[in-house]
Amino acid sequence: MALRLTLLTAAISLALRVNAQQPVWAQCGGIGWTGGTTCVSGTSCVFSNAYYSQCLPGAATTVSTTTLVPPTITPTTPPTTTLAPTTTIGTTSPTSAPSPGVCPTLPANLSLVSNAKLPNPFVFAADGSAVTTKNQWTCRQAEISQLFQRYELGTLPGKPASVTGSYSGNTLTINVSDSGKSISFAVSVALPSTGTAPFPAIIAIGGMSIPTPAGVAVLTFNNDDMAAQTDTTSRGQGKFYTIYGSGHSASAMTAWAWGVSRIIDVLENTPTLKLDLTKLAVTGCSRNGKGALVVGAFEPRIALTIPQESGSGGAGCWRISDAMLAAGTSTQTASEIVGENVWFSTNFANYVHAVPTLPFDHHMLAALVAPRALLIIDNTGIDWLGPESVFGCMKTANKVWQALGIPDHMGVSQVGNHAHCAFPSSEQPDLDAFINKFLKGQNTNTSFVKTDGANQLGFVDANWIDWTVPTLT
Ligand SMILES: *[C@@H]1O[C@H](CO)[C@@H](O)[C@H](O)[C@H]1NC(C)=O
Ligand SMILES: *[C@@H]1O[C@H](CO)[C@@H](O)[C@H](O)[C@H]1NC(C)=O
Ligand SMILES: *[C@@H]1O[C@H](CO)[C@@H](O)[C@H](O)[C@H]1NC(C)=O
């Protein structure tokens, strides 16, 4: 019904508009979209979710299996922008917070060193010391969170002064106020028709693009309302910025993570809505898949994170995406993405032409989710999503769960030959295995890091990883 209404709305708006043709990668439809809805020749407008359709080139049928290697580094001078140190970690504090004083302090003037390979998750940026214990890993995660906030995502504020809410008629209303500013936003709730309360729940960023599992509630978060993502002119727009000001450093994705945290704050005080808050998942596809990964990385109350076809800037690593582009594959890269939208902070633009100087890559964004569960759902067949980058990046991320002794709490399922964000039935068993284990407490086999791309899409560990995996004690 909702889909039919959406299609009807889309059809009406299509009929009413005089359309400028949208370029490749641009948005071409979705709730609230008032721009052009036709795409330039050679691309087509592909439905992603109710809030977003995008002009995409024809899906590639042949997938590159070229072995990618990092570029030889010509020493890059890191940008000299003065960086405001991140003072608030807020909700990013790990659940089991390390004792004060034991974590190395990240200096405000951290000196960045060029590294073409995927940086070592198991060494502190603060002082170069090795991470050998699970406690130290918790410190390192807090450091990685700060690094992402500082260089790529902007500052995530902590819990505001007042967060209240109410549940009525399948709508959860969340009211937030701080320093004299207030916002109210609504989340639609679909309770399952089977199963018994309290129900596990999936928070869908912008809408569900995976099949809804039986017995699981779905909470749909209108992320665009919290922080707009139409294009680069969306900076500072949305309810998050009503509270914190349009000049706040938080990128759209950081603002979404903040919004999801406020939803969970309210759920914790809304016993009439019978959800099992130890069994919360987050998902989203494409740009909202990038967002789902950021939400899972920043919010420790999420038990299972399922980014779907999130591509470069989500499950892909900037370094591998740059290598793909250098090898002739048209794929999203850091330098492209900052000119496309406001998913990343303005400060990130200072680093997109010096990607090897970043003290992290997205295997470490994924690593913020550990030891909680992460399932990557991805598409081998669409070059612009950077399938090689996603597979290599997430195969590398799995090493963090290996170090923690739980490699099966993080999985990768990558399958081609289907439209963007169209979930193929062949991936259903992989999705079921994670849902059944982490949302329903069943004993399933979640040991897989796999792609249907030949030759692992050309990803060779030795070309990208120059560190070993410790066993954290
Ligand atoms: C950073 O600041 C500290 C304290 O002021 C100073 O000792 C150190 O040399 C600085 N490091 C760099 C790389 O500038
Ligand atoms: C939330 O805010 C709305 C709009 O300002 C208001 O009507 C409502 O009473 C508030 N609800 C709660 C629970 O504070
Ligand atoms: C789990 O599945 C993987 C991949 O299909 C397989 O290799 C492994 O043997 C299975 N493990 C168990 C315990 O069944």
Side-chain angles (χ1 to χ4, degrees):
M1 183 62 182
L3 180 62
R4 258 185 246 147
L5 273 179
T6 306
L7 292 175
L8 186 66
T9 314
I12 291 167
S13 22
L14 200 73
L16 292 177
R17 274 185 206 131
V18 179
N19 298 310
Q21 288 203 318
Q22 297 296 98
V24 64
W25 317 130
Q27 185 169 3
C28 54
I31 293 171
W33 173 247
T34 53
T37 53
T38 58
C39 300
V40 293
S41 167
T43 68
S44 57
C45 187
V46 176
F47 176 86
S48 171
N49 60 57
Y51 296 98
Y52 180 64
S53 296
Q54 184 179 31
C55 295
L56 299 182
T61 44
T62 46
V63 174
S64 156
T65 56
T66 320
T67 299
L68 298 171
V69 292
T72 309
I73 294 286
T74 40
T76 322
T77 314
T80 51
T81 328
T82 306
L83 299 169
T86 304
T87 48
T88 325
I89 307 181
T91 51
T92 67
S93 307
T95 24
S96 51
S99 320
V102 287
C103 296
T105 305
L106 193 62
N109 61 352
L110 186 69
S111 66
L112 300 179
V113 180
S114 236
N115 178 3
K117 299 197 177 190
L118 299 177
N120 186 349
F122 304 110
V123 171
F124 284 100
D127 61 7
S129 66
V131 174
T132 60
T133 68
K134 287 176 182 167
N135 280 344
Q136 288 169 345
W137 171 246
T138 307
C139 285
R140 173 65 168 142
Q141 280 181 305
E143 178 183 81
I144 292 170
S145 174
Q146 283 186 280
L147 291 170
F148 270 99
Q149 291 180 61
R150 191 185 285 190
Y151 298 106
E152 185 181 305
L153 291 167
T155 302
L156 175 67
K159 190 173 176 176
S162 166
V163 183
T164 59
S166 58
Y167 179 62
S168 165
N170 293 326
T171 299
L172 186 70
T173 303
I174 292 118
N175 288 7
V176 180
S177 61
D178 204 341
S179 309
K181 307 277 177 53
S182 308
I183 57 165
S184 180
F185 66 101
V187 173
S188 68
V189 179
L191 291 174
S193 52
T194 60
T196 41
F199 302 107
I202 298 178
I203 298 171
I205 308 297
M208 280 283 270
S209 289
I210 54 171
T212 300
V216 176
V218 174
L219 278 60
T220 303
F221 173 50
N222 183 350
N223 53 321
D224 292 14
D225 174 56
M226 185 57 65
Q229 55 167 339
T230 304
D231 54 31
T232 52
T233 67
S234 303
R235 180 78 62 192
Q237 292 177 17
K239 287 175 178 170
F240 173 91
Y241 303 99
T242 302
I243 295 276
Y244 292 105
S246 59
H248 193 279
S249 70
S251 67
M253 297 204 290
T254 304
W256 303 340
W258 177 91
V260 169
S261 295
R262 303 297 72 85
I263 295 172
I264 302 173
D265 291 344
V266 165
L267 291 177
E268 287 177 340
N269 292 303
T270 312
T272 49
L273 178 53
K274 298 193 185 316
L275 302 180
D276 182 349
L277 301 186
T278 69
K279 302 272 190 306
L280 292 179
V282 66
T283 190
C285 195
S286 199
R287 53 177 61 194
N288 296 335
K290 301 182 207 300
L293 180 56
V294 171
V295 170
F298 280 153
E299 176 45 77
R301 292 170 291 183
I302 297 285
L304 171 61
T305 299
I306 312 175
Q308 180 186 10
E309 300 188 35
S310 59
S312 301
C317 278
W318 300 123
R319 286 166 175 81
I320 311 178
S321 295
D322 276 355
M324 287 181 69
L325 186 64
T329 303
S330 176
T331 203
Q332 246 178 342
T333 60
S335 57
E336 183 278 337
I337 217 161
V338 296
E340 184 183 339
N341 217 301
V342 295
W343 301 311
F344 302 95
S345 64
T346 52
N347 189 35
F348 187 50
N350 294 315
Y351 298 89
V352 296
H353 297 289
V355 162
T357 67
L358 289 170
F360 52 70
D361 213 318
H362 276 219
H363 61 304
M364 287 162 59
L365 182 64
L368 293 179
V369 177
R372 294 172 289 120
L374 175 63
L375 171 62
I376 302 299
I377 297 288
D378 201 59
N379 190 335
T380 335
I382 302 179
D383 278 348
W384 72 270
L385 286 171
E388 294 94 321
S389 180
V390 169
F391 183 75
C393 193
M394 292 298 106
K395 184 179 182 221
T396 305
N398 183 268
K399 294 180 189 306
V400 168
W401 279 261
Q402 289 170 31
L404 292 165
I406 44 169
D408 63 329
H409 288 215
M410 189 275 180
V412 179
S413 174
Q414 196 183 43
V415 170
N417 293 317
H418 61 89
H420 184 40
C421 295
F423 186 85
S425 57
S426 61
E427 284 183 300
Q428 190 72 52
D430 299 339
L431 178 62
D432 288 347
F434 269 77
I435 296 280
N436 291 343
K437 181 181 281 185
F438 296 104
L439 294 189
K440 298 184 180 177
Q442 297 171 14
N443 184 14
T444 61
N445 182 351
T446 52
S447 292
F448 52 86
V449 172
K450 62 187 183 185
T451 177
D452 67 357
N455 186 31
Q456 299 210 335
L457 297 162
F459 183 80
V460 175
D461 286 26
N463 290 335
W464 291 98
I465 303 167
D466 59 4
W467 37 269
T468 54
V469 182
T471 299
L472 301 176
T473 54

